[in-house]
Structure formats: structure tokens, C-alpha cells
Amino acid sequence: MEALFDSINVRDLLSARDLSDPSSPLSAPDLRLLTQRLESHSLQIKSKVQSYILSHHEHFANLFSLCNDAVSQSDSISANVADLLRFISSDRPVDVEIRDLIDEVNAKVKESRTQRELLDLVRAIAEINDRFEGVREALRNGRFRFAAEDLTLLKKALHVDDDDADVADQTQNQPLVYALLKKEWSDCFEEIQEVLVKFMENGVRFELETRRLRVQYRLSHDGIKGIELRTVFEAMDVVGILEYGLAKVADLIIKHVITPVVKRGSAISFVEEVNQDSKEMTEAILKIVPSIDPKIENVEGEAIYSGIIQVVKFIYKFICFENGSWIHSFGRLTWPRIAEMIISNFLSKVVPKDASKLADFQKIIECTSQFETGLKEMLFISASDNKDERLSNFAENVEVHFASRKKAEILAKARKLLLHCDFDVPQEYTRKGPMLKKDGMAVNSYEQVVDLLFLSESCVVSKAVTQLMELVHQTLKDVCLSSTRVALEFYHAARDAMLLYEVVMPVKLERQLDGINQVAVLMHNDCIYLSQEILGLAFEYRSDFPNSLKEHAIFVDMAPRFQLMAEEILQMQIQLIIYNLKEAVDGADGFQNTYQKQQFELAKFSIDQVIFILEKVHIIWEPLLLPSTYKRSMCMVLETVFSRITKDILLLDDMAADETLQLQRLIHLMLENLSSLFESLRSVSQKRPQEDSTASLDHLIPSLCKIRKLAELLDLPLKSITTDWESGELLNCGFTLSEVEYFIKAIFTDSPLRKECLWRIENSCFESSNQFS
């Protein structure tokens, strides 16, 4: 077939001679020849094609059949596409129906799955509920071990946490069904716990009449009979309430068995009895009986330790069935209390009172160590936890306990002398009464005169504070001679002893501090004395302290506290005195109308009250307070009362001549009666050469000069008053322009002379201000 499709060259159909010149045109004969030859060649081609088709007829038939099938499928697809286009162009497209169908299928599948899961959940809840009923049934039938194990499995299944004490709080944000199941578990747990605790209480009892601890191994309660004590232990251990179940038993044994051993020691002993039938043990008894041969002394604690060891062995063998885990749980419940009881009733009482006897305490340390070793062998206490070696730690730290005991004794002694010191000063202890003398200062046998280290003064203090400082000095001397640990305790004891004064005395003397009396002054002096002594302690003792204590020992921080306390007490007294003086002055009703007899008597009574209060303060303060403090405080009080009286008189208006004379009389009466007080203030300045002796009382008490001048003005003519203002004398005495003008207007009637004098006073003041400018 390839030859049929080859290209035909026309010139090849002609003979060579006819084509001698290829470029020459063909003639008519040549064309006819060529036509014939082409027809012949065409017939050959047709023959060959026919032969080829006939030889490949089957192949061509298959090809035409395949083409026919392809056309048929194309028609079918075209019809389907036309149908699809028709559906799409209809009112309800097919894709919507398909989507709805798929959604419906998914909903049905989801609903089926949910129903299947709910069915599984209901089946699981029913199964758990049946297990709860099984636990309760087992509990009623006495199968405690089975009930405990099943309850533990349910606990894991429900994820109940041990740390959550309240199931309601634990299930607050959880589904209701889950919360109900946990509540059911909790109720079931409480039921089994209550039953097991009851059986444990019945199994281990102490009989007060016969004084014996009785352990029964076959138990019955509430219709449940024949339960073994070991089974109760196993069930409590499985459910996790072993220590809870043993709590009451532990309290019982400590109260009725351990406590008598610790407190009475060698006076009692124990007898064990075991009762059993042919097959097994039915009960064990531990009797407490008086000792046959009691020791006279129990210094080393052997009787206490051996008695407790015997009790623990009984518990280990007959109650805990030689189970290490159970006896260790029992030990965790009881050992801290037993150890504390032994320490408080025995070890702390045999701590040496003298450092020389510390070596003898070594026997007790060895005995205590052997005792705890025996408890470790029975697993009553932990062999690896040093915290359980409470007794050994206490005994080995006896040096510290010795110091702690001495510290407690020092503080007790300090507290006792502060509480029992009598601060009541006898009636004869007054400025004028019979008294002892020291350096010119009056004291009595209840108080003492002390020198202040940094003030170069002496003051009277209470006997309590001197005894307190003697105790502090003795304690600090012991610090210098002691080891570091003991010295540290003594150092703190000395500090605390001084601080006790700050705590005890304000409470003890609270009532006295609310009044004007010697007690408050003595307490003020005590605080001054303490602050001064504290400042000197470091200089006196620090160099002899142990090296490790020198850097940490300080006292100066306490001095400001007592200095502040002294100042607070003094200010409280001053304010109380000023308050009483103001009340007395208020009784004069502003010193008005003193020309009337009744008003004059009222004003005179007020002045008498002022004199009485000031003289009382003078009598109390002068012999007790430091001279400088007495002077400063008394001047403050006098300034307050004089300024108040002067102010009231200057505020009077329209005074009659008789009234001015009566006011002058009252002022003179007050100043004359206070002459001894003024003299005492002058004498203080004379006794203190370091102070300016030229400073008069007028400078210390500005209102004193003013009130004296006021008494003079009450009897002066108008021109003299004007002259005194112009000379500056009134201004130097503390009078102001407005006070002088108001005073003149109150005494002198309106007249040309008064106007002239007032003008002169104002003009003088104006000229003075211009000169100053």
C-alpha cells in the first residue's frame, strides 16, 4: 500500500527518446500516449486497492463497527446533557434536591450515633449504679474488702480527687449526671467509712474501771457479725482512710496509756494477756498496774522510754498485726504528740540549770537515742526522716535549751519585779515633808537617785527600774562568759527584759497616768534612765562579747523608744495640767464685773484653783524631774495659763474704776502666791552654770512680764499708758497696738484727751514702722 501513495512523475511515463529535451513542450501524440498510460496506471492502483481491502475485510468491519458504537454513545451523551440542561432550567434545580437529601442523610446518621452513644451512657450509668448497690450490699453482708476495692475502682472511674473535700464544690461546673454519680460515690464512701470506724472503735477499747486496753479480733455491729479486725484494717487501707480510722484509737491510747507513762514513769508497769480458742486468737489485753519496785528517781527517763516501747510493741503485734505500713500510719498520728509530751514533761525539766552539769546530760542523750532507734526498728517512726528524731534533736541541742530556760527565767524575773513593784509614793513624800537627801535632792526608801550617763544630771527613779537594770547588767556579764549560742540567747534576754518595761508598765499604771501624780513623773524618769543606760551598754560590754556576736549585738535602737515614751508621758501630764488650768480659768467667766461681790468671789475662786493646781505640780515636779525638764515644762504650763488670763482681761470692755482695782488685786494675789514657784525656777538656772544665768523668767515666760505690766496698767493714768507705749515698754512686754487701744477704750471714757492719746499711740506706731522700713 505504500507504493500506491508514492508521488507520480509524469515524465517517467514517456520514453527517454521522447524526452530528449526536457524543456520542450509535449506534442499531441505524446499527450495521448500519456493519457493512456495514466489510465493503465490508475487501473493497476484500483486493482491493488481492491485486493488490499478484500484481504483486510475483517479489520475494516471491526473498525466500522467501533465507529458506529462511538456515534451511538455520542448520541446518548447528547441526550443526557439535554435532559440535565432541562432539569437545571426547571423551577427546582437538582442540586438543591441533592443537598437536601445529603443533609437529611447526615441528620439521620448523627441522630443514630447520638442515640447509640446515649444508649451506651445509660448502660454505663446503670452499670455504675449497680456497682454502687453491689458495694452497699457487700457492706451489709460484711464483705468489707470487696466493698473497699470496688469503691476504689469507682473512684478512679469517676475521677474523684482526694484533695477536694466537698463533692458539691468538686462537681459545680460538671454535668448533672456526673455530679450525681460523684455524690453517690461520696455517700457510699461516707457509709463505708462510718461502718469501718465503728468496727475499729469496737475492736480497740479502753476500760476505765479495770484500766486495761482491750483488743478484740471477732467483731459485730448493727447486725453484721463475725468480722475480723484484720479485715477492717485491710478495708480501711484499700479505701484510703486508715489514718482517719485510727485517729480515735490513737487519741484513746495517748490519753489513757501513754500519758500515765510519761507523767508517772516508774510508778506503773504493763501486763499483757492473750486469749484464744482452739483455732485462733480472740482478744489481747494490755493492763496498767502499779509498779512492783518503783524507782525513787527517774532522772534518765529509762522507765518512760521502756514503758512506751512496751506499749508500741503491743500495738505493733496485736493491733497492727506486725504490718509495717499500718504501724507507720499509727506512728504518724501519735508520734508528734508523744514527743511533745516527753519534751514538756521530762526532757525540758531535766535541762541543767548550771553549765557545769551539761556533761551529765549526756546519759539522757544516749538513752533518748536508743529509744528512737527502737521505734525505728518497729517502723513506728521513719528511719530516713530526721524530723522524726524530735527527742534526739532536743536533747542534743541542750545547750540552746539551757540558754532558753535561763532566758525564760530572766524574763520571768523581770516581769515579776515590774508587776510587784509599788509605785505608790507615801503621803509624806512631798517637797516639804521629811525625806532622805542625796546631793541635795529629796528621795525616800521607795525610790533611788541615779546619775544619767550622758546628761550630767541626776534624777529619782523607781526601785523597779534599777533592779531591772541590775538584772540586765548581770545577764550581759554572762554573755561575755558564754559560748556563741548561749550568748545569743542571753543577749536577746537582756533586750527583751528592757522591752518588758515598755509593755508592762503602761498597762500596770494606766489609771495613775490619767492623773497628775508622782507615779507618772517617776515613770517618765525611768524611761529617761533606761534610754541613757541603753546608750552605754555597747561601750561597756561589746568588746567582751563572743566574736560572732559583736557584729550583730546592738542596743542603741531601743534608746529612742524609751526617750519617745518619756516625752509622751511628760506631754500627757502637761496637757492634763493645762486642761485643768483652762477649766479653772473658765470658771472666772472671763473676769467680768468683778466690782460685784459675787463675780469677784467667783474670779477669786478661779485664781485660787489656778494657784492650787500650779503649786501641786510644783510640789510633784520639783523634787522628781530633771532640773532642765522641770524648768522647761513648768515654763510651758505658766506661759499657757498667764497668756489665757491676760487675754481674758484684755477682752473686757467698759471697765469701772472699782473693777480695775479688783482685777489688779487678783493678779497680785496670784503672783504673790506663786513666788515660791518662781524662786524654784530661778534656782534651777543658778545650779546649771552651763546655762545663761542672765536669762530671767520674763524671757522664759513672756506672758509673765505681760501680766505684771497689765496689773500696773490697771492703775495708771491715760497719759502714763501713752508714754509707756511711746517708749516701747508695752511693746517689749508683748502688748499689741490693738490690745492697747482696746484696753484704753475699755477703761477711759470718750474725751478729747483719749482721742489725743489714741492718736499719739497710732502715730507712734506709724513712725516706728517707717523707721523700720
Side-chain angles (χ1 to χ4, degrees):
M1 285 298 292
E2 289 81 0
L4 295 176
F5 298 100
D6 290 339
S7 61
I8 301 173
N9 191 347
V10 176
R11 292 187 178 275
D12 289 342
L13 297 177
L14 300 178
S15 63
R17 63 178 180 84
D18 295 331
L19 295 174
S20 59
D21 187 4
S23 63
S24 61
L26 294 176
S27 59
D30 291 336
L31 290 172
R32 286 192 294 272
L33 179 63
L34 181 61
T35 303
Q36 292 174 356
R37 289 182 179 179
L38 284 172
E39 290 177 353
S40 175
H41 190 70
S42 174
L43 292 173
Q44 291 176 1
I45 291 173
K46 289 180 180 180
S47 177
K48 290 180 180 180
V49 170
Q50 184 178 6
S51 299
Y52 182 82
I53 291 174
L54 291 175
S55 62
H56 293 82
H57 178 269
E58 184 178 354
H59 292 158
F60 279 104
N62 293 336
L63 178 61
F64 290 135
S65 177
L66 182 63
C67 289
N68 185 48
D69 291 340
V71 172
S72 298
Q73 290 180 1
S74 175
D75 292 340
S76 176
I77 291 172
S78 177
N80 290 336
V81 170
D83 293 340
L84 180 61
L85 292 174
R86 187 172 60 256
F87 278 118
I88 291 174
S89 60
S90 63
D91 294 337
R92 181 171 178 80
V94 68
D95 61 331
V96 177
E97 294 184 0
I98 294 173
R99 185 175 65 251
D100 293 343
L101 182 61
I102 293 173
D103 291 342
E104 184 179 356
V105 170
N106 289 337
K108 294 294 183 182
V109 171
K110 185 176 181 180
E111 181 181 358
S112 176
R113 186 185 300 114
T114 303
Q115 290 179 352
R116 185 168 58 255
E117 291 175 353
L118 287 175
L119 184 62
D120 293 340
L121 177 61
V122 171
R123 188 180 297 111
I125 293 173
E127 182 180 350
I128 293 174
N129 190 59
D130 291 342
R131 293 179 66 180
F132 278 131
E133 291 299 325
V135 169
R136 288 190 171 91
E137 184 64 26
L139 194 61
R140 288 191 292 268
N141 295 334
R143 293 182 295 139
F144 294 162
R145 180 64 184 263
F146 171 80
E149 291 175 348
D150 209 15
L151 189 64
T152 302
L153 294 175
L154 287 170
K155 176 183 178 180
K156 294 179 181 179
L158 295 174
H159 302 287
V160 179
D161 297 329
D162 291 331
D163 296 335
D164 296 328
D166 191 350
V167 174
D169 294 339
Q170 183 181 344
T171 59
Q172 184 176 3
N173 298 322
Q174 296 175 351
L176 179 60
V177 173
Y178 192 50
L180 292 175
L181 289 176
K182 282 193 172 185
K183 180 64 168 59
E184 183 71 13
W185 184 92
S186 177
D187 294 341
C188 199
F189 175 80
E190 291 179 359
E191 290 177 16
I192 192 171
Q193 178 177 265
E194 182 180 357
V195 171
L196 292 176
V197 169
K198 285 293 184 181
F199 272 92
M200 180 58 66
E201 292 176 1
N202 291 340
V204 183
R205 292 181 294 176
F206 185 83
E207 299 174 352
L208 291 174
E209 296 80 5
T210 56
R211 299 191 65 196
R212 63 180 186 173
L213 181 66
R214 185 177 181 181
V215 183
Q216 292 182 311
Y217 296 101
R218 283 288 180 180
L219 307 173
S220 299
H221 175 70
D222 197 18
I224 306 175
K225 300 180 180 180
I227 303 300
E228 293 185 0
L229 181 61
R230 181 189 293 271
T231 303
V232 176
F233 266 91
E234 291 174 348
M236 289 194 301
D237 195 9
V238 169
V239 85
I241 60 168
L242 183 60
E243 292 190 9
Y244 177 83
L246 289 173
K248 289 189 177 180
V249 175
D251 292 339
L252 188 76
I253 293 177
I254 287 179
K255 180 178 180 180
H256 298 292
V257 181
I258 300 295
T259 300
V261 175
V262 175
K263 292 188 175 181
R264 299 177 62 185
S266 58
I268 63 173
S269 60
F270 298 99
V271 177
E272 297 179 5
E273 293 182 2
V274 178
N275 298 326
Q276 59 184 25
D277 55 19
S278 58
K279 295 182 179 180
E280 59 186 5
M281 186 165 49
T282 58
E283 68 176 2
I285 297 174
L286 182 68
K287 290 184 178 180
I288 302 177
V289 298
S291 179
I292 299 175
D293 185 20
K295 299 178 182 178
I296 297 176
E297 295 183 354
N298 186 31
V299 177
E300 298 179 3
E302 293 180 356
I304 294 176
Y305 293 153
S306 62
I308 294 177
I309 286 290
Q310 187 176 357
V311 173
V312 173
K313 285 182 178 179
F314 179 85
I315 296 170
Y316 177 65
K317 182 177 181 181
F318 296 107
I319 296 180
C320 294
F321 302 98
E322 299 183 350
N323 185 301
S325 176
W326 296 349
I327 189 65
H328 191 59
S329 296
F330 193 88
R332 283 198 301 267
L333 286 172
T334 57
W335 176 239
R337 287 183 287 173
I338 294 175
E340 184 62 31
M341 196 182 303
I342 294 173
I343 290 172
S344 60
N345 289 278
F346 169 59
L347 289 178
S348 62
K349 293 183 179 180
V350 296
V351 172
K353 297 182 180 179
D354 194 333
S356 61
K357 296 182 180 180
L358 289 175
D360 298 335
F361 196 74
Q362 188 63 34
K363 294 180 180 179
I364 297 178
I365 295 177
E366 295 175 359
C367 186
T368 302
S369 178
Q370 294 173 1
F371 169 63
E372 288 185 338
T373 300
L375 295 179
K376 290 178 182 179
E377 292 174 354
M378 289 183 288
L379 303 179
F380 188 76
I381 61 177
S382 174
S384 58
D385 192 354
N386 293 332
K387 292 181 180 180
D388 281 348
E389 298 177 354
R390 300 168 183 264
L391 302 183
S392 296
N393 292 336
F394 182 91
E396 290 171 359
N397 291 328
V398 66
E399 189 179 49
V400 175
H401 300 308
F402 166 73
S404 299
R405 182 171 181 172
K406 293 294 292 183
K407 177 182 177 181
E409 292 177 358
I410 292 169
L411 295 180
K413 186 175 181 180
R415 184 174 181 274
K416 182 178 179 181
L417 66 89
L418 289 175
L419 288 176
H420 293 87
C421 177
D422 186 7
F423 267 75
D424 292 333
V425 182
Q427 190 68 28
E428 64 271 12
Y429 186 65
T430 62
R431 188 172 55 86
K432 299 180 181 180
M435 296 172 290
L436 302 176
K437 295 282 184 177
K438 180 177 179 181
D439 297 335
M441 184 169 288
V443 297
N444 67 5
S445 59
Y446 289 87
E447 287 74 32
Q448 300 184 34
V449 176
V450 294
D451 296 323
L452 302 179
L453 295 178
F454 300 97
L455 292 180
S456 300
E457 290 183 293
S458 299
C459 68
V460 182
V461 297
S462 67
K463 189 175 181 180
V465 78
T466 56
Q467 292 177 341
L468 178 64
M469 286 311 302
E470 289 175 3
L471 180 62
V472 170
H473 283 290
Q474 182 59 48
T475 303
L476 293 178
K477 290 177 182 177
D478 292 338
V479 171
C480 300
L481 302 175
S482 302
S483 63
T484 301
R485 291 198 296 178
V486 176
L488 183 62
E489 290 295 324
F490 282 169
Y491 159 71
H492 286 297
R495 284 180 57 92
D496 293 345
M498 289 184 286
L499 293 175
L500 273 177
Y501 189 96
E502 182 185 22
V503 175
V504 173
M505 300 314 294
V507 178
K508 172 182 169 62
L509 303 177
E510 181 179 9
R511 183 177 59 84
Q512 289 89 331
L513 292 176
D514 290 336
I516 304 172
N517 49 59
Q518 294 98 330
V519 174
V521 180
L522 281 177
M523 188 172 173
H524 164 269
N525 291 352
D526 286 352
C527 294
I528 294 293
Y529 171 64
L530 284 172
S531 66
Q532 293 289 301
E533 287 293 309
I534 288 170
L535 291 174
L537 291 178
F539 297 101
E540 187 173 357
Y541 296 105
R542 187 192 295 273
S543 59
D544 297 326
F545 280 177
N547 292 331
S548 59
L549 189 60
K550 288 181 181 179
E551 298 179 358
H552 302 91
I554 56 173
F555 297 97
V556 69
D557 61 303
M558 295 190 296
R561 299 172 64 162
F562 287 102
Q563 187 69 39
L564 180 61
M565 186 176 175
E567 188 63 26
E568 287 176 351
I569 294 171
L570 181 61
Q571 290 302 321
M572 188 185 303
Q573 287 288 295
I574 291 175
Q575 294 304 319
L576 185 60
I577 293 167
I578 291 175
Y579 175 78
N580 290 340
L581 288 172
K582 285 184 176 179
E583 280 196 334
V585 175
D586 289 341
D589 195 18
F591 298 96
Q592 300 182 53
N593 304 322
T594 51
Y595 61 90
Q596 299 177 3
K597 183 177 180 181
Q598 184 178 0
Q599 289 297 112
F600 176 77
E601 293 297 331
L602 188 64
K604 184 177 182 300
F605 178 77
S606 176
I607 293 297
D608 290 340
Q609 286 291 103
V610 170
I611 296 170
F612 174 79
I613 294 171
L614 291 174
E615 189 61 26
K616 177 183 177 181
V617 174
H618 176 208
I619 293 172
I620 294 173
W621 280 8
E622 184 185 8
L624 297 180
L625 281 178
L626 290 173
S628 58
T629 304
Y630 166 69
K631 180 179 178 180
R632 170 173 58 88
S633 304
M634 184 59 77
C635 288
M636 184 185 303
V637 172
L638 291 174
E639 172 65 20
T640 301
V641 68
F642 288 163
S643 62
R644 169 64 189 280
I645 294 174
T646 304
K647 179 182 177 182
D648 285 356
I649 293 177
L650 288 175
L651 289 175
L652 293 174
D653 56 353
D654 194 17
M655 288 185 284
D658 292 343
E659 189 173 357
T660 58
L661 294 177
Q662 296 289 17
L663 290 173
Q664 184 185 54
R665 177 184 171 187
L666 291 174
I667 295 174
H668 287 160
L669 175 66
M670 179 180 66
L671 296 178
E672 288 173 3
N673 281 277
L674 295 177
S675 58
S676 61
L677 191 156
F678 297 146
E679 188 61 32
S680 69
L681 294 176
R682 293 190 186 95
S683 65
V684 170
S685 299
Q686 294 173 0
K687 291 178 181 179
R688 295 177 60 83
Q690 68 273 22
E691 293 185 358
D692 185 6
S693 58
T694 60
S696 65
L697 290 182
D698 291 342
H699 290 84
L700 297 173
I701 313 171
S703 295
L704 176 59
C705 175
K706 189 173 183 179
I707 198 170
R708 282 176 175 164
K709 189 62 180 177
L710 177 60
E712 182 181 344
L713 293 177
L714 289 169
D715 195 26
L716 279 182
L718 178 56
K719 288 186 178 182
S720 298
I721 296 175
T722 305
T723 303
D724 286 348
W725 175 261
E726 291 175 336
S727 65
E729 184 177 353
L730 293 182
L731 191 62
N732 292 334
C733 290
F735 287 92
T736 63
L737 174 63
S738 59
E739 288 177 340
V740 174
E741 289 179 339
Y742 194 85
F743 180 76
I744 292 174
K745 291 177 182 179
I747 295 180
F748 301 100
T749 58
D750 189 13
S751 65
L753 179 61
R754 192 180 81 168
K755 292 180 180 179
E756 179 186 352
C757 290
L758 290 175
W759 178 85
R760 287 171 54 187
I761 291 172
E762 291 178 359
N763 187 57
S764 174
C765 184
F766 178 74
E767 290 177 356
S768 298
S769 61
N770 287 337
Q771 291 177 2
F772 181 76
S773 301

